[in-house]
Amino acid sequence: MSTLHYDIAHVLDGSVLLLGFLLLYQRRMFGLINIFAFQALGLALAAAWQAHVHGESHLYATALIALSVKAGIIPYALRRLIIHFGIHRTIDTALGIGPSLVAGATLVALSVMLVLPVTADSAALTREKLALALSTVLIGLLMMITRRNAITQVIGFMALENGLILAAVGVQGMPLVVEMGIAFEVMVAFIIFGIFFFHIRDRFESLDLQYLESHRGERR
Amino acid sequence: MLYMILGTVLILFALGGAGLVMGQWSDRETVEGWIYAGSAAACGLNAALMVGFLVSGASGMEAAVPVGLPWLSARFRLDGLAAIFLLIVGTGGVLSALYGFAHRRHTQDPAWVAFFFPLFLGGMTLVPLADDAFSFLLSWELMSLASWFMVLASHQHHETRRAAIVYLVMAAIGTVAMMLAFGTLAGAAGGYSFEAMRGADISPWAGAMVVLFVLVGAGSKAGVVPLHAWLPLAHPAAPTHVSALMSGVMTKVALYAIIRVLFDLLPAVGWGWGLAMLAVGGLTAVLGVLYAVLQRDIKTVLAYSTVENIGVILTAIGLAVAFKASGYAALAGLSLVAGLFHAINHSLYKSLLFLGAGAVVSATGYRDLERLGGVIHRMPVTAATFLIGSAAIAALPPLNGFASEWLLFQALLNGPRLPEWALKLAVPVVGALLALATALASACFVRVFGITFLGRPRSPEAMMAKEAERGILVVLVVLAGACVILGVAPMMVLSIVSPVVETLMGAPPLADGGRGLLWMEPLAERDSSYSGLILLVAVMGMASLMFLVRRQASGRLSRSHAWDCGCPDPNPLTQYTASSFSQPIRRVFATTLFRAREDVEMPEPGDVSPARFTVSLYDPVWQWFYRPVTRVIGWVADKSDAAQLMSIREYLAIMFAALILLLTVMMVIR
């Protein structure tokens, strides 16, 4: 593989991680959804580049799924939901933006330091891809726990899943069936979350999960 | 032969199942009769087979039965050590079953006792046979649970329910500890058959953990202080024949686990563990008998006395560990032989005492010593056999209790040969503790026998007691006879026990003095030997001499009321009571240890209400060991209660933190 191919793959993977950081930084709901769409776009490009370089045509299918579902349908549906339910368009944080970014940077450092020695005997590209993918997964998780709103949690979950796909794309020989399975799982999760939103909204007239906690009866 | 034993276990299980089914439409007495008769036959066959196996000196035999986990069939193995304990199980089982059979017409126990009884016996038979951790733990749990259900026989009493809860908790802790022990033994490779454990290469730390876990797990089942708390609650609560089994046999099965792991599965055990076991054993013996001497309930006295004897046997095992670690294989063997012999003896006389006490309790309806008295006139055979059992447990020659304790003291007297100074100093102290325990045990059983059988009846029921059924008397006489025979000819047992110990230790434990079966000579060069027969003849001679002297002396018979200084008082309450008999011991030993306090409440002058005398005892084990533990558990539970009520985000955060922690650990380790 030429250096150029390597660098382009690196840039695309890095952009997915960078957009993950932007997700942490964003304070507005629509902006968050847009960034998520861009992240999915970056993922699709990374998958397509991998398919092009390695000649693995099934990765084109992965790229297509990422592009259509995660960069298209899901952001659109989320935006519809927000408008439909009249959800607050600011993001309520449990951990401030600054600390979140610091935590995110720490996680990236952790995953790099973890993955690079562990996979010392793998090809260089795979190693760095894995480190980037693991960072994206961890940042998605961080997002899920540092944001209060249900929509932000869904987006955190989707970002986590983007990281998984990124890892799957990087590791050669990941069967298409598994990727299809993951994509399908995301769809199901999205539908469940949608129904969940609908019901929470219906019951509490807000998507803030704090209201849910007060209704478990034992405390607060 | 092994398959025959497994067959008898199957028969026992089938008996339990059949009892459950038949109980629905047949009358109880017939069904229970069949169950008990069948159990007795199965156990009798087992015991006979084991005697044959031990005498023939056959080597181990193995069997794999395709039950249990799919990739691991249950493996069983019969070797000498297992055979000794199977002999204990079989003997105890057949006699208890016969007691149950004879007693079935008068029993007031719920019907499930007869259902669980054979299951209990089957479980206890399987434990010594098990040759892998899974079948061992399964049999162990079967033994625990079956006995637990029988403890619940008198579940309408509040104390029984409490005893059952304590028992269940301690049994669970014990099983978890055993699991951990086997898990550590199996190591990362996960060889759960004992064969693989013997060959496993185990680090000293892991070995120490195994010893600790086994001592906790099996020690709690055997009743080692401070894990004994359930025993004096649970053993007396069960029906009599089950109490006899639990005290006489189940505690031995627990000791089997200790011996199996310490001398067979582990390659080497450090002398420090021997020291620890010596200390715990000595403490257990003294505390157990001190508790026993202060109790009023006859079955509780017997249960505490079991704790004492377990302490004695544990001391023997600890001494064997110490000797073995120091390279004295023959002395280690001698200690272990003494321990095994004492285990066999204790199973005999404890069964005898429990069954005798049960006969008294069912004749009078009282377990409280203060309500008994003078029963010897109404139940002479029970009284005679109980006296023999009491003498045996008090280690009086020429009975078997003396023989095994004498052997243990022979081993203890060689303690100064040990190279470590800690052991040199500890062994004489432990010896003194055991001597104290034995002396207190004599006091204890003088008290139990005297208050129960002698003097005048303290209640109308005791006055009207009837001798037990003939079947029960046969059982008692057989047990008493066994105590005498094993005391007079201890080599009968030792000659079959010592080859087994020899294979474990690699050196013959008893020197062969060449003087036949009647002389016990543990160490030829010391030239200490003991013959029960000569002592028996001497005792008999003295007795007949006294009889003759009395015959020749003044023929005028003077009869007075017992224990009344010749001045008869019409009220039997003026006799010595159980409490007053133990008062000196209570004052000397229990004032600081148990914080025994005596309060006398005198009425005001002119007041006609009676004066009251109350004795209060604190159990230091509960106060210093169990209460802090329960308090810590309560505190942790209170604090972790908050974890029940966190938000989704917080749960996610916990998982996230765990993930990060694991990743970091991973990073650091690499």
Side-chain angles (χ1 to χ4, degrees):
Chain A
M1 193 197 301
S2 72
T3 328
L4 180 66
H5 287 174
Y6 179 91
D7 287 341
I8 290 178
H10 218 155
V11 164
L12 288 174
D13 294 348
S15 70
V16 173
L17 176 59
L18 193 65
L19 286 162
F21 270 99
L22 281 182
L23 283 177
L24 276 181
Y25 178 71
Q26 188 53 255
R27 288 168 196 272
R28 280 188 297 276
M29 203 63 92
F30 281 149
L32 191 72
I33 293 171
N34 287 339
I35 292 169
F36 171 70
F38 275 116
Q39 194 189 27
L41 183 65
L43 174 69
L45 285 177
W49 183 251
Q50 188 82 358
H52 170 67
V53 170
H54 289 277
E56 297 172 27
S57 54
H58 70 265
L59 283 182
Y60 283 121
T62 310
L64 198 65
I65 293 172
L67 189 67
S68 58
V69 177
K70 292 212 227 148
I73 298 173
I74 290 177
Y76 174 72
L78 279 175
R79 202 168 308 190
R80 281 283 314 269
L81 274 173
I82 291 172
I83 295 170
H84 181 74
F85 291 134
I87 293 165
H88 275 295
R89 299 192 188 171
T90 54
I91 289 172
D92 194 4
T93 57
L95 183 69
I97 298 290
S100 308
L101 286 175
V102 172
T106 319
L107 291 178
V108 173
L110 175 71
S111 38
V112 169
M113 285 162 71
L114 178 73
V115 170
L116 291 191
V118 168
T119 59
D121 48 349
S122 306
L125 178 60
T126 314
R127 295 169 60 196
E128 295 183 359
K129 240 184 202 303
L130 270 181
L132 291 170
L134 181 61
S135 316
T136 314
V137 168
L138 291 179
I139 285 178
L141 258 175
L142 183 67
M143 171 131 186
M144 286 184 82
I145 62 171
T146 55
R147 302 289 180 264
R148 286 189 203 282
N149 195 294
I151 291 206
T152 47
Q153 293 209 341
V154 172
I155 290 185
F157 177 73
M158 301 270 178
L160 184 156
E161 199 267 342
N162 280 346
L164 285 182
I165 297 283
L166 194 62
V169 166
V171 178
Q172 290 167 25
M174 168 74 119
L176 182 64
V177 180
V178 175
E179 287 173 34
M180 293 294 290
I182 294 177
F184 184 69
E185 197 184 328
V186 172
M187 283 300 292
V188 171
F190 181 71
I191 291 167
I192 291 172
F193 269 119
I195 295 168
F196 176 62
F197 286 163
F198 189 76
H199 277 278
I200 304 176
R201 175 67 222 282
D202 218 31
R203 193 66 49 104
F204 304 121
E205 305 191 335
S206 163
L207 278 186
D208 192 329
L209 292 178
Q210 267 180 1
Y211 290 95
L212 206 60
E213 285 153 20
S214 64
H215 275 262
R216 286 192 302 184
E218 286 146 322
R219 200 182 61 172
R220 282 184 273 213
Chain B
M1 189 183 281
L2 179 53
Y3 284 103
M4 278 182 82
I5 299 169
L6 292 176
T8 59
V9 172
L10 265 187
I11 292 173
L12 287 171
F13 289 164
L15 279 172
L20 195 66
V21 177
M22 294 296 291
Q24 303 298 322
W25 64 78
S26 188
D27 76 305
R28 210 181 136 182
E29 198 182 308
T30 320
V31 173
E32 292 196 356
W34 278 105
I35 291 181
Y36 284 125
S39 309
C43 288
L45 180 60
N46 269 349
L49 284 175
M50 286 308 104
V51 170
F53 177 83
L54 286 167
V55 168
S56 73
S59 58
M61 41 184 90
E62 298 184 12
V65 182
V67 291
L69 296 172
W71 66 91
L72 189 87
S73 50
R75 295 152 64 108
F76 297 101
R77 182 160 172 273
L78 175 66
D79 60 2
L81 184 61
I84 291 175
F85 283 90
L86 284 179
L87 181 60
I88 295 179
V89 173
T91 320
V94 64
L95 293 164
S96 312
L98 285 177
Y99 182 97
F101 181 81
H103 191 58
R104 70 190 189 284
R105 283 191 197 87
H106 306 284
T107 181
Q108 281 154 12
D109 306 323
W112 73 68
V113 169
F115 162 60
F116 283 109
F117 185 79
L119 292 188
F120 182 43
L121 284 173
M124 288 197 299
T125 312
L126 282 183
V127 170
L129 283 177
D131 197 32
D132 65 76
F134 286 109
S135 40
F136 182 94
L137 288 172
L138 212 64
S139 329
W140 183 267
E141 273 301 87
L142 180 65
M143 172 178 94
S144 299
L145 285 180
S147 58
W148 184 76
F149 277 104
M150 292 192 282
V151 166
L152 270 182
S154 53
H155 58 97
Q156 57 273 33
H157 298 302
H158 172 255
E159 305 86 59
T160 306
R161 293 201 296 273
R162 176 166 175 262
I165 289 174
V166 176
Y167 180 23
L168 199 62
V169 171
M170 294 302 283
I173 291 174
T175 308
V176 168
M178 291 306 285
M179 262 186 218
L180 290 173
F182 285 128
T184 318
L185 264 176
Y192 283 100
S193 72
F194 286 177
E195 191 67 52
M197 290 178 187
R198 272 183 209 108
D201 188 24
I202 191 164
S203 72
W205 275 104
M209 291 313 286
V210 170
V211 178
L212 182 67
F213 285 138
V214 165
L215 285 182
V216 170
S220 72
K221 178 69 74 198
V224 172
V225 170
L227 301 168
H228 69 285
W230 65 276
L231 192 149
L233 299 173
H235 283 194
T240 295
H241 54 303
V242 182
S243 303
L245 271 185
M246 289 175 78
S247 249
V249 179
M250 190 171 75
T251 51
K252 308 302 173 302
V253 174
L255 291 171
Y256 160 79
I258 295 181
I259 296 175
R260 173 66 80 192
V261 173
L262 258 53
F263 295 106
D264 189 11
L265 299 187
L266 278 175
V269 181
W271 62 268
W273 286 109
L275 180 65
M277 286 166 74
L278 279 170
V280 171
L283 199 69
T284 301
V286 171
L287 276 181
V289 73
L290 259 184
Y291 283 122
V293 84
L294 299 177
Q295 302 301 318
R296 279 175 56 171
D297 181 325
I298 184 166
K299 285 177 84 175
T300 311
V301 173
L302 294 176
Y304 272 120
S305 140
T306 297
V307 174
E308 180 228 335
N309 282 276
I310 291 300
V312 172
I313 302 171
L314 191 72
T315 309
I317 298 175
L319 196 62
V321 168
F323 276 127
K324 192 184 175 198
S326 309
Y328 290 98
L331 286 173
L334 176 62
S335 317
L336 194 59
V337 166
L340 289 173
F341 189 28
H342 198 72
I344 294 172
N345 290 338
H346 180 246
S347 80
L348 289 174
Y349 52 65
K350 190 47 63 75
S351 299
L352 167 59
L353 290 172
F354 256 118
L355 297 180
V360 172
V361 171
S362 69
T364 60
Y366 288 117
R367 278 162 50 175
D368 187 353
L369 287 173
E370 313 284 20
R371 303 271 176 179
L372 300 169
V375 182
I376 191 170
H377 301 294
R378 315 287 307 189
M379 310 176 74
V381 180
T382 310
T385 53
F386 198 94
L387 181 62
I388 292 176
S390 305
I393 202 167
L396 293 184
L399 295 165
N400 57 354
F402 178 79
S404 51
E405 294 215 12
W406 182 84
L407 209 55
L408 174 58
F409 274 99
Q410 292 306 311
L412 275 170
L413 289 175
N414 281 289
R417 290 206 207 174
L418 286 163
E420 288 83 11
W421 276 100
L423 284 171
K424 268 191 213 292
L425 293 175
V427 168
V429 175
V430 171
L433 283 178
L434 287 194
L436 174 66
T438 314
L440 285 173
S442 326
C444 175
F445 280 90
V446 166
R447 169 174 179 260
V448 169
F449 184 80
I451 303 294
T452 306
F453 290 99
L454 305 181
R456 279 179 290 152
R458 295 180 179 78
S459 65
E461 288 83 357
M463 199 186 288
M464 310 295 283
K466 275 205 195 75
E467 182 64 289
E469 293 92 335
R470 188 162 302 156
I472 293 178
L473 295 183
V474 169
V475 172
L476 294 178
V477 169
V478 167
L479 279 166
C483 286
V484 175
I485 290 171
L486 290 196
V488 171
M491 285 310 287
M492 266 172 55
V493 174
L494 296 182
S495 60
I496 60 173
V497 169
S498 54
V500 174
V501 174
E502 188 178 337
T503 55
L504 283 179
M505 297 295 180
L510 296 182
D512 187 9
R515 278 202 267 175
L517 281 180
L518 291 175
W519 284 90
M520 192 158 65
E521 288 176 313
L523 303 153
E525 72 264 39
R526 285 286 174 108
D527 202 25
S528 55
S529 52
Y530 163 75
S531 167
L533 188 63
I534 289 182
L535 265 170
L536 180 69
V537 169
V539 169
M540 296 299 244
M542 299 265 275
S544 29
L545 202 65
M546 275 187 58
F547 184 71
L548 280 177
V549 167
R550 284 197 57 145
R551 280 275 302 259
Q552 297 303 318
S554 156
R556 274 177 54 208
L557 187 69
S558 65
R559 215 173 227 290
S560 175
H561 286 283
W563 287 352
D564 237 1
C565 311
C567 311
D569 184 293
N571 192 343
L573 290 179
T574 55
Q575 302 176 97
Y576 258 96
T577 63
S579 305
S580 58
F581 189 87
S582 60
Q583 191 195 34
I585 294 174
R586 189 170 66 230
R587 287 209 171 152
V588 172
F589 292 103
T591 307
T592 45
L593 195 57
F594 298 155
R595 281 206 269 150
R597 296 286 177 273
E598 295 162 3
D599 288 314
V600 183
E601 196 180 295
M602 291 299 284
E604 293 288 310
D607 189 352
V608 290
S609 65
R612 293 205 173 278
F613 177 80
T614 44
V615 174
S616 61
L617 291 173
Y618 282 93
D619 190 335
V621 172
W622 278 101
Q623 184 142 12
W624 297 107
F625 186 71
Y626 290 95
R627 199 143 320 142
V629 170
T630 51
R631 208 173 292 155
V632 166
I633 291 174
W635 184 81
V636 171
D638 262 3
K639 294 294 162 193
S640 59
D641 192 33
Q644 297 272 326
L645 299 162
M646 289 197 295
S647 68
I648 300 170
R649 225 168 35 72
E650 284 163 322
Y651 283 127
L652 278 175
I654 289 176
M655 281 157 61
F656 185 66
L659 177 66
I660 295 294
L661 185 75
L662 288 178
L663 288 178
T664 317
V665 166
M666 187 77 184
M667 193 178 76
V668 170
I669 288 175
R670 290 292 297 201

